[in-house]
Coordinates of all heavy atoms in Angstrom, one line a residue:
P1 N -16.7 288.0 -29.2 CA -15.6 288.1 -28.3 C -14.4 288.7 -28.9 O -14.2 288.7 -30.1 CB -15.4 286.7 -27.8 CG -16.1 285.8 -28.8 CD -17.1 286.7 -29.5
D2 N -13.5 289.3 -28.1 CA -12.3 289.9 -28.6 C -11.3 288.8 -29.1 O -11.3 287.7 -28.6 CB -11.5 290.6 -27.5 CG -12.3 291.8 -27.0 OD1 -13.2 292.3 -27.8 OD2 -12.1 292.3 -25.9
A3 N -10.6 289.1 -30.2 CA -9.6 288.2 -30.7 C -8.4 288.2 -29.8 O -8.1 289.3 -29.2 CB -9.2 288.7 -32.1
V4 N -7.7 287.1 -29.6 CA -6.5 287.0 -28.8 C -5.3 286.9 -29.7 O -5.3 286.1 -30.6 CB -6.6 285.8 -27.8 CG1 -5.3 285.7 -27.0 CG2 -7.8 285.9 -26.9
Q5 N -4.4 287.8 -29.4 CA -3.1 287.8 -30.1 C -2.0 287.7 -29.1 O -2.2 287.9 -27.9 CB -2.9 289.0 -31.0 CG -4.0 289.1 -32.1 CD -3.7 290.1 -33.1 OE1 -2.6 290.4 -33.4 NE2 -4.8 290.7 -33.6
F6 N -0.7 287.5 -29.5 CA 0.4 287.5 -28.6 C 1.4 288.6 -29.1 O 1.6 288.8 -30.3 CB 1.0 286.2 -28.5 CG 0.2 285.3 -27.6 CD1 -0.9 284.6 -28.0 CD2 0.6 285.2 -26.2 CE1 -1.6 283.8 -27.1 CE2 -0.1 284.4 -25.4 CZ -1.2 283.7 -25.8
G7 N 2.0 289.2 -28.1 CA 3.0 290.2 -28.4 C 4.1 290.1 -27.3 O 4.1 289.2 -26.5
Y8 N 5.0 291.1 -27.2 CA 6.0 291.0 -26.2 C 6.5 292.4 -25.7 O 6.2 293.4 -26.4 CB 7.2 290.3 -26.8 CG 8.0 291.0 -27.9 CD1 9.0 291.8 -27.6 CD2 7.6 290.8 -29.2 CE1 9.7 292.5 -28.6 CE2 8.3 291.5 -30.2 CZ 9.3 292.3 -29.9 OH 10.0 293.0 -30.9
H9 N 7.2 292.4 -24.6 CA 7.9 293.6 -24.1 C 9.3 293.1 -23.7 O 9.5 291.9 -23.3 CB 7.2 294.1 -22.8 CG 5.8 294.5 -22.9 ND1 4.9 294.4 -21.9 CD2 5.2 295.1 -23.9 CE1 3.8 294.9 -22.3 NE2 3.9 295.3 -23.5
W10 N 10.2 294.0 -23.6 CA 11.5 293.8 -23.0 C 11.5 294.5 -21.7 O 11.2 295.7 -21.6 CB 12.6 294.3 -23.9 CG 13.0 293.4 -25.1 CD1 12.6 293.5 -26.4 CD2 13.7 292.2 -25.0 NE1 13.1 292.5 -27.1 CE2 13.8 291.6 -26.3 CE3 14.3 291.5 -24.0 CZ2 14.4 290.4 -26.6 CZ3 15.0 290.3 -24.3 CH2 15.0 289.8 -25.6
L11 N 12.0 293.9 -20.7 CA 12.2 294.5 -19.3 C 13.6 294.4 -18.9 O 14.4 293.5 -19.3 CB 11.3 293.7 -18.3 CG 9.9 293.5 -18.6 CD1 9.2 292.6 -17.6 CD2 9.1 294.8 -18.7
R12 N 14.0 295.4 -18.2 CA 15.4 295.4 -17.6 C 15.4 294.3 -16.6 O 14.4 294.0 -15.9 CB 15.7 296.7 -16.9 CG 15.8 297.9 -17.9 CD 16.3 299.1 -17.1 NE 16.2 300.3 -18.0 CZ 17.0 300.6 -19.0 NH1 18.1 299.9 -19.2 NH2 16.8 301.7 -19.7
D13 N 16.6 293.7 -16.4 CA 16.8 292.6 -15.5 C 17.1 293.3 -14.1 O 18.3 293.2 -13.6 CB 17.9 291.7 -15.9 CG 18.0 290.5 -15.0 OD1 17.1 290.2 -14.2 OD2 19.0 289.7 -15.1
D14 N 16.1 294.0 -13.5 CA 16.3 294.6 -12.2 C 15.1 294.2 -11.3 O 14.2 293.6 -11.8 CB 16.4 296.1 -12.4 CG 15.2 296.8 -13.0 OD1 14.1 296.2 -12.9 OD2 15.4 297.9 -13.5
P15 N 15.2 294.5 -10.1 CA 14.1 294.0 -9.1 C 12.7 294.5 -9.5 O 11.7 293.9 -9.3 CB 14.6 294.5 -7.8 CG 16.0 294.7 -7.9 CD 16.3 295.1 -9.3
E16 N 12.7 295.7 -10.2 CA 11.4 296.3 -10.5 C 10.9 295.8 -11.9 O 9.7 296.0 -12.2 CB 11.4 297.8 -10.5 CG 11.7 298.4 -9.2 CD 13.2 298.4 -8.8 OE1 14.1 298.4 -9.7 OE2 13.5 298.3 -7.6
G17 N 11.7 295.2 -12.7 CA 11.3 294.8 -14.0 C 11.0 296.0 -14.9 O 10.0 296.1 -15.6
T18 N 11.8 297.0 -14.8 CA 11.6 298.3 -15.5 C 11.4 298.1 -17.0 O 12.3 297.4 -17.6 CB 12.8 299.3 -15.2 OG1 13.0 299.4 -13.8 CG2 12.5 300.6 -15.8
P19 N 10.4 298.6 -17.6 CA 10.2 298.5 -19.1 C 11.4 299.0 -19.8 O 11.9 300.1 -19.5 CB 9.0 299.3 -19.4 CG 8.2 299.3 -18.1 CD 9.3 299.4 -17.0
L20 N 11.9 298.3 -20.8 CA 13.0 298.7 -21.7 C 12.5 299.0 -23.1 O 12.8 300.0 -23.7 CB 14.0 297.6 -21.7 CG 15.3 297.8 -22.4 CD1 16.0 299.0 -21.9 CD2 16.2 296.6 -22.4
L21 N 11.6 298.1 -23.6 CA 11.0 298.3 -24.9 C 9.6 297.6 -24.9 O 9.5 296.5 -24.5 CB 11.8 297.6 -26.0 CG 11.2 297.6 -27.4 CD1 11.2 299.0 -27.9 CD2 12.0 296.7 -28.3
R22 N 8.6 298.4 -25.2 CA 7.2 297.9 -25.3 C 6.9 297.9 -26.8 O 6.7 299.0 -27.4 CB 6.3 298.8 -24.5 CG 4.9 298.2 -24.5 CD 4.0 299.0 -23.6 NE 2.6 298.5 -23.7 CZ 1.9 298.4 -22.7 NH1 2.3 298.7 -21.5 NH2 0.7 297.9 -22.8
D23 N 6.8 296.7 -27.4 CA 6.5 296.6 -28.8 C 5.0 296.4 -29.0 O 4.5 295.3 -28.8 CB 7.3 295.4 -29.4 CG 7.2 295.4 -30.9 OD1 6.2 296.0 -31.5 OD2 8.0 294.8 -31.6
D24 N 4.4 297.5 -29.4 CA 2.9 297.4 -29.6 C 2.6 297.2 -31.1 O 1.4 297.2 -31.4 CB 2.2 298.7 -29.1 CG 2.2 298.8 -27.6 OD1 2.0 297.7 -27.0 OD2 2.4 299.9 -27.1
S25 N 3.6 296.9 -31.9 CA 3.3 296.7 -33.3 C 3.4 295.3 -33.8 O 2.8 294.9 -34.7 CB 4.3 297.5 -34.2 OG 5.6 297.1 -33.9
T26 N 4.1 294.4 -33.0 CA 4.3 293.0 -33.4 C 3.2 292.2 -32.7 O 3.3 292.1 -31.5 CB 5.7 292.5 -33.1 OG1 6.6 293.3 -33.7 CG2 5.8 291.1 -33.5
R27 N 2.3 291.7 -33.4 CA 1.2 290.8 -32.8 C 1.1 289.6 -33.7 O 1.1 289.7 -34.9 CB -0.1 291.6 -32.8 CG -0.1 292.9 -32.1 CD -0.2 292.7 -30.6 NE 0.0 293.9 -29.8 CZ -0.9 294.8 -29.6 NH1 -2.1 294.7 -30.1 NH2 -0.6 295.9 -28.8
V28 N 0.9 288.5 -33.0 CA 0.7 287.2 -33.7 C -0.6 286.6 -33.2 O -0.8 286.4 -32.0 CB 1.9 286.2 -33.5 CG1 1.6 284.9 -34.1 CG2 3.2 286.8 -34.0
P29 N -1.6 286.4 -34.1 CA -2.9 285.9 -33.7 C -2.9 284.4 -33.4 O -2.0 283.6 -34.0 CB -3.8 286.2 -34.9 CG -2.9 286.2 -36.1 CD -1.6 286.7 -35.6
L30 N -3.7 283.9 -32.5 CA -3.9 282.5 -32.3 C -4.6 282.0 -33.6 O -5.5 282.6 -34.1 CB -4.9 282.3 -31.1 CG -4.3 282.4 -29.8 CD1 -5.4 282.2 -28.7 CD2 -3.1 281.5 -29.5
P31 N -4.1 280.8 -34.1 CA -4.7 280.3 -35.3 C -6.1 279.7 -35.1 O -6.8 279.4 -36.0 CB -3.7 279.2 -35.7 CG -3.0 278.8 -34.5 CD -3.0 280.0 -33.6
E32 N -6.4 279.4 -33.8 CA -7.7 278.8 -33.5 C -8.0 279.0 -32.0 O -7.1 279.4 -31.3 CB -7.6 277.3 -33.8 CG -6.6 276.6 -33.0 CD -6.1 275.2 -33.5 OE1 -5.9 275.1 -34.7 OE2 -6.0 274.3 -32.7
D33 N -9.3 278.8 -31.6 CA -9.6 278.9 -30.2 C -9.0 277.8 -29.5 O -8.8 276.6 -30.0 CB -11.1 278.8 -30.1 CG -11.9 280.0 -30.6 OD1 -11.2 281.1 -30.7 OD2 -13.1 279.9 -30.8
L34 N -8.6 278.0 -28.2 CA -8.0 277.0 -27.4 C -8.9 276.8 -26.1 O -9.4 277.8 -25.6 CB -6.6 277.5 -26.9 CG -5.5 277.6 -28.0 CD1 -4.2 278.1 -27.3 CD2 -5.3 276.3 -28.7
F35 N -8.9 275.6 -25.7 CA -9.6 275.3 -24.5 C -8.6 275.0 -23.4 O -7.5 274.7 -23.6 CB -10.6 274.1 -24.7 CG -11.7 274.4 -25.7 CD1 -11.5 274.1 -27.1 CD2 -12.8 275.0 -25.3 CE1 -12.5 274.4 -28.0 CE2 -13.8 275.3 -26.2 CZ -13.7 275.0 -27.6
P36 N -9.1 275.0 -22.1 CA -8.1 274.8 -21.0 C -7.4 273.5 -21.2 O -7.9 272.4 -21.6 CB -9.1 274.6 -19.8 CG -10.2 275.5 -20.1 CD -10.4 275.3 -21.6
G37 N -6.0 273.6 -21.0 CA -5.2 272.4 -21.2 C -4.6 272.3 -22.6 O -3.7 271.5 -22.8
E38 N -5.1 273.0 -23.6 CA -4.6 272.9 -25.0 C -3.5 273.9 -25.1 O -3.3 274.8 -24.4 CB -5.7 273.2 -26.0 CG -6.8 272.2 -26.0 CD -7.9 272.4 -27.1 OE1 -8.2 273.6 -27.3 OE2 -8.4 271.5 -27.6
S39 N -2.7 273.6 -26.2 CA -1.6 274.5 -26.4 C -1.4 274.7 -27.9 O -2.0 273.9 -28.7 CB -0.3 274.0 -25.8 OG 0.1 272.7 -26.4
V40 N -0.6 275.7 -28.3 CA -0.3 275.9 -29.7 C 1.1 276.5 -29.8 O 1.5 277.2 -28.9 CB -1.4 276.9 -30.3 CG1 -1.3 278.3 -29.7 CG2 -1.3 277.0 -31.8
D41 N 1.8 276.2 -30.9 CA 3.1 276.8 -31.2 C 2.9 278.1 -32.0 O 2.2 278.0 -33.0 CB 4.0 275.8 -31.9 CG 4.4 274.7 -31.0 OD1 4.4 274.8 -29.8 OD2 4.7 273.6 -31.6
L42 N 3.6 279.2 -31.6 CA 3.5 280.4 -32.4 C 4.9 280.9 -32.7 O 5.8 280.7 -31.9 CB 2.8 281.5 -31.6 CG 1.4 281.3 -31.2 CD1 0.9 282.4 -30.3 CD2 0.5 281.2 -32.4
D43 N 5.1 281.4 -33.9 CA 6.4 282.1 -34.2 C 6.2 283.6 -34.1 O 5.4 284.1 -34.9 CB 6.9 281.7 -35.6 CG 7.3 280.2 -35.7 OD1 7.9 279.7 -34.7 OD2 7.0 279.6 -36.8
I44 N 6.9 284.2 -33.2 CA 6.8 285.6 -33.0 C 8.1 286.3 -33.3 O 9.1 286.0 -32.7 CB 6.4 286.0 -31.5 CG1 5.1 285.3 -31.1 CG2 6.3 287.5 -31.3 CD1 4.7 285.5 -29.7
P45 N 8.1 287.2 -34.4 CA 9.4 287.9 -34.7 C 9.7 288.9 -33.6 O 8.9 289.7 -33.2 CB 9.1 288.6 -36.0 CG 7.6 288.6 -36.1 CD 7.0 287.5 -35.2
V46 N 10.9 288.7 -33.0 CA 11.3 289.6 -31.9 C 12.5 290.4 -32.3 O 13.5 289.9 -32.9 CB 11.7 288.7 -30.7 CG1 12.3 289.5 -29.6 CG2 10.5 287.9 -30.2
R47 N 12.5 291.7 -32.0 CA 13.6 292.5 -32.3 C 14.2 292.9 -30.9 O 13.5 293.1 -30.0 CB 13.3 293.8 -33.1 CG 12.4 294.8 -32.4 CD 12.1 295.9 -33.4 NE 11.0 296.7 -32.8 CZ 11.2 297.9 -32.2 NH1 12.4 298.4 -32.2 NH2 10.2 298.6 -31.7
L48 N 15.6 292.9 -30.9 CA 16.3 293.2 -29.7 C 16.3 294.7 -29.5 O 16.4 295.5 -30.5 CB 17.7 292.7 -29.8 CG 17.9 291.2 -29.9 CD1 19.3 290.8 -30.2 CD2 17.4 290.5 -28.7
P49 N 16.2 295.2 -28.3 CA 16.2 296.6 -28.0 C 17.7 297.1 -28.2 O 18.6 296.5 -27.8 CB 15.8 296.7 -26.6 CG 16.0 295.4 -26.0 CD 15.9 294.4 -27.1
S50 N 17.8 298.2 -28.9 CA 19.1 298.7 -29.2 C 19.8 299.2 -28.0 O 21.1 299.3 -27.9 CB 19.0 299.8 -30.3 OG 18.2 300.9 -29.8
S51 N 19.1 299.6 -27.0 CA 19.7 300.1 -25.8 C 20.0 299.0 -24.7 O 20.5 299.4 -23.7 CB 18.7 301.1 -25.1 OG 17.5 300.5 -24.8
A52 N 19.8 297.8 -25.1 CA 20.1 296.7 -24.1 C 21.5 296.3 -24.2 O 21.9 295.6 -25.1 CB 19.2 295.5 -24.4
R53 N 22.3 296.8 -23.3 CA 23.7 296.4 -23.3 C 24.0 295.4 -22.2 O 25.0 294.8 -22.1 CB 24.6 297.6 -23.0 CG 24.3 298.8 -23.9 CD 25.6 299.1 -24.7 NE 25.4 300.2 -25.6 CZ 25.0 300.2 -26.8 NH1 24.7 299.0 -27.4 NH2 24.9 301.3 -27.5
R54 N 23.0 295.1 -21.4 CA 23.0 294.1 -20.3 C 21.9 293.1 -20.5 O 21.2 293.2 -21.4 CB 22.9 294.8 -18.9 CG 24.1 295.7 -18.6 CD 23.9 296.4 -17.3 NE 23.8 297.8 -17.6 CZ 23.5 298.7 -16.7 NH1 23.2 298.3 -15.4 NH2 23.4 300.0 -16.9
R55 N 21.8 292.3 -19.5 CA 20.8 291.3 -19.5 C 19.4 291.9 -19.5 O 19.2 293.0 -18.9 CB 20.9 290.3 -18.3 CG 22.1 289.4 -18.4 CD 22.2 288.7 -17.1 NE 21.0 288.2 -16.6 CZ 20.7 286.9 -16.3 NH1 21.7 286.0 -16.5 NH2 19.6 286.5 -15.8
A56 N 18.5 291.3 -20.2 CA 17.1 291.8 -20.3 C 16.2 290.6 -20.3 O 16.6 289.5 -20.6 CB 16.9 292.6 -21.6
I57 N 14.9 290.9 -19.9 CA 13.9 289.8 -19.8 C 12.9 290.0 -20.9 O 12.3 291.1 -21.1 CB 13.2 289.9 -18.4 CG1 14.2 289.7 -17.3 CG2 12.1 288.9 -18.4 CD1 13.7 290.0 -15.9
L58 N 12.7 288.9 -21.7 CA 11.7 289.0 -22.7 C 10.3 288.5 -22.1 O 10.2 287.4 -21.6 CB 12.0 288.0 -23.9 CG 11.0 287.9 -25.0 CD1 10.8 289.2 -25.7 CD2 11.5 286.8 -25.9
Q59 N 9.3 289.4 -22.1 CA 8.0 289.0 -21.6 C 7.0 288.9 -22.7 O 6.7 289.9 -23.4 CB 7.6 290.2 -20.6 CG 6.3 289.9 -20.0 CD 5.8 291.1 -19.1 OE1 6.0 292.2 -19.5 NE2 5.4 290.8 -17.9
V60 N 6.6 287.7 -22.9 CA 5.6 287.4 -24.0 C 4.2 287.2 -23.3 O 4.1 286.5 -22.3 CB 6.0 286.1 -24.8 CG1 4.9 285.8 -25.8 CG2 7.3 286.3 -25.4
M61 N 3.2 287.9 -23.9 CA 1.9 287.7 -23.2 C 0.8 288.0 -24.2 O 1.0 288.5 -25.3 CB 1.7 288.7 -22.1 CG 1.6 290.1 -22.5 SD 1.4 291.2 -21.1 CE 2.9 291.1 -20.2
A62 N -0.4 287.6 -23.8 CA -1.6 287.7 -24.6 C -2.0 289.2 -24.7 O -1.9 290.0 -23.8 CB -2.8 286.9 -24.1
V63 N -2.6 289.5 -25.9 CA -3.1 290.9 -26.1 C -4.6 290.7 -26.5 O -4.9 289.9 -27.4 CB -2.4 291.6 -27.3 CG1 -2.9 293.0 -27.5 CG2 -0.9 291.7 -27.0
L64 N -5.5 291.3 -25.8 CA -6.9 291.2 -26.2 C -7.2 292.4 -27.1 O -7.2 293.5 -26.7 CB -7.7 291.4 -24.9 CG -7.3 290.4 -23.8 CD1 -8.2 290.7 -22.5 CD2 -7.5 289.0 -24.2
D65 N -7.5 292.0 -28.4 CA -7.8 293.1 -29.3 C -9.3 293.4 -29.3 O -10.1 292.8 -28.7 CB -7.4 292.6 -30.7 CG -5.9 292.8 -31.0 OD1 -5.3 293.5 -30.2 OD2 -5.4 292.3 -32.0
G66 N -9.5 294.5 -29.9 CA -10.9 295.1 -29.8 C -10.8 296.4 -29.2 O -9.7 296.8 -28.6
P67 N -11.8 297.2 -29.3 CA -11.6 298.6 -28.7 C -11.8 298.6 -27.2 O -12.8 298.1 -26.7 CB -12.8 299.4 -29.3 CG -13.7 298.3 -29.9 CD -13.0 297.0 -29.9
P68 N -10.8 299.0 -26.4 CA -9.5 299.3 -26.8 C -8.6 298.0 -26.7 O -8.9 297.2 -25.8 CB -9.0 300.3 -25.8 CG -9.8 299.9 -24.5 CD -11.1 299.4 -25.0
G69 N -7.6 297.9 -27.6 CA -6.7 296.7 -27.4 C -5.9 296.9 -26.1 O -5.6 298.0 -25.7
R70 N -5.7 295.8 -25.4 CA -5.0 295.9 -24.1 C -4.3 294.6 -23.8 O -4.7 293.5 -24.3 CB -5.9 296.3 -23.0 CG -7.1 295.3 -22.8 CD -8.1 295.9 -21.9 NE -9.2 295.0 -22.0 CZ -10.3 295.0 -21.2 NH1 -10.3 295.9 -20.2 NH2 -11.2 294.1 -21.3
W71 N -3.2 294.7 -23.1 CA -2.4 293.6 -22.7 C -3.2 292.8 -21.7 O -4.0 293.4 -20.9 CB -1.1 294.0 -22.1 CG -0.2 294.6 -23.2 CD1 -0.2 296.0 -23.5 CD2 0.6 294.0 -24.1 NE1 0.7 296.2 -24.5 CE2 1.2 295.0 -24.9 CE3 1.0 292.7 -24.3 CZ2 2.1 294.7 -25.9 CZ3 1.9 292.4 -25.3 CH2 2.4 293.3 -26.1
A72 N -3.1 291.5 -21.7 CA -3.9 290.6 -20.9 C -3.8 291.0 -19.4 O -4.7 291.0 -18.6 CB -3.6 289.2 -21.1
E73 N -2.6 291.3 -19.0 CA -2.3 291.6 -17.5 C -3.1 292.9 -17.1 O -3.5 293.0 -16.0 CB -0.9 291.8 -17.2 CG -0.2 293.0 -17.8 CD 1.2 293.2 -17.5 OE1 1.8 292.3 -16.8 OE2 1.8 294.2 -17.9
E74 N -3.3 293.8 -18.1 CA -4.1 295.0 -17.8 C -5.6 294.7 -17.6 O -6.3 295.4 -17.0 CB -3.9 296.0 -18.9 CG -2.5 296.5 -19.0 CD -2.3 297.3 -20.3 OE1 -3.2 297.4 -21.1 OE2 -1.2 297.9 -20.4
A75 N -6.0 293.5 -18.1 CA -7.4 293.1 -18.0 C -7.6 292.0 -17.0 O -8.6 291.4 -16.9 CB -7.9 292.7 -19.4
S76 N -6.6 291.8 -16.2 CA -6.6 290.7 -15.1 C -6.8 289.4 -15.7 O -7.5 288.5 -15.1 CB -7.6 291.1 -14.1 OG -7.3 292.3 -13.4
V77 N -6.3 289.1 -16.9 CA -6.4 287.8 -17.6 C -5.0 287.2 -17.5 O -4.0 287.8 -17.9 CB -6.8 288.0 -19.1 CG1 -6.8 286.6 -19.8 CG2 -8.2 288.6 -19.1
K78 N -4.9 285.9 -17.1 CA -3.6 285.2 -17.0 C -3.4 284.4 -18.3 O -4.3 283.7 -18.7 CB -3.6 284.3 -15.8 CG -3.6 285.1 -14.5 CD -3.4 284.2 -13.3 CE -3.4 285.0 -12.1 NZ -3.0 284.2 -10.9
S79 N -2.2 284.5 -18.8 CA -1.8 283.7 -19.9 C -0.5 283.1 -19.6 O 0.4 283.7 -19.0 CB -1.7 284.6 -21.2 OG -0.7 285.6 -21.0
V80 N -0.4 281.8 -19.9 CA 0.8 281.1 -19.6 C 1.6 280.9 -20.9 O 1.1 280.4 -21.9 CB 0.5 279.7 -19.0 CG1 1.8 278.9 -18.8 CG2 -0.2 279.9 -17.7
V81 N 2.8 281.4 -20.9 CA 3.6 281.3 -22.2 C 5.0 280.7 -21.8 O 5.6 281.0 -20.8 CB 3.9 282.8 -22.7 CG1 4.8 282.7 -23.9 CG2 2.6 283.5 -23.0
R82 N 5.3 279.7 -22.6 CA 6.6 279.1 -22.4 C 7.4 279.3 -23.7 O 7.0 279.0 -24.8 CB 6.4 277.5 -22.3 CG 7.7 276.9 -21.9 CD 7.5 275.4 -21.5 NE 7.2 274.7 -22.7 CZ 6.9 273.4 -22.8 NH1 6.8 272.8 -21.7 NH2 6.6 272.8 -23.9
V83 N 8.6 280.0 -23.5 CA 9.4 280.3 -24.7 C 10.5 279.2 -24.9 O 11.2 278.9 -23.9 CB 10.1 281.7 -24.5 CG1 11.0 282.0 -25.6 CG2 9.1 282.8 -24.2
L84 N 10.5 278.7 -26.1 CA 11.5 277.6 -26.4 C 12.5 278.1 -27.4 O 12.3 278.9 -28.2 CB 10.8 276.4 -27.0 CG 9.7 275.8 -26.1 CD1 9.0 274.7 -26.8 CD2 10.3 275.3 -24.8

């Protein structure tokens, strides 16, 4: 099975959620397999977009690695992320 990692995007705070910065280089792997209802804490280094002069939305989501690597939403996989 494909390894699951987490990454992020920055979106403009507009009705369309227009992409502001898509960071495809920062990935943090899950340290272990998770089963439904389990959780894990991850530290993801986030860089602010230099062009963000207004409010922006940080979108953190799962990345399914393997050929080809793709964001979970592109593979119709739901991931629940709570940012603290």
Side-chain angles (χ1 to χ4, degrees):
D2 294 338
V4 177
Q5 300 190 32
F6 280 81
Y8 69 91
H9 298 148
W10 282 103
L11 307 174
R12 293 187 191 280
D13 188 14
D14 61 22
E16 295 80 31
T18 307
L20 183 61
L21 173 69
R22 182 174 179 140
D23 187 338
D24 287 324
S25 62
T26 302
R27 304 277 171 83
V28 175
L30 283 178
E32 59 199 45
D33 289 341
L34 296 178
F35 294 95
E38 293 185 324
S39 64
V40 65
D41 292 335
L42 299 175
D43 290 324
I44 302 175
V46 174
R47 67 182 169 103
L48 297 174
S50 59
S51 59
R53 305 243 186 265
R54 294 180 244 174
R55 290 173 42 124
I57 298 167
L58 176 62
Q59 182 183 44
V60 178
M61 71 176 68
V63 181
L64 307 175
D65 277 348
R70 57 192 171 171
W71 294 92
E73 70 178 5
E74 296 168 354
S76 300
V77 174
K78 292 187 179 188
S79 59
V80 177
V81 176
R82 188 173 72 183
V83 178
L84 303 175

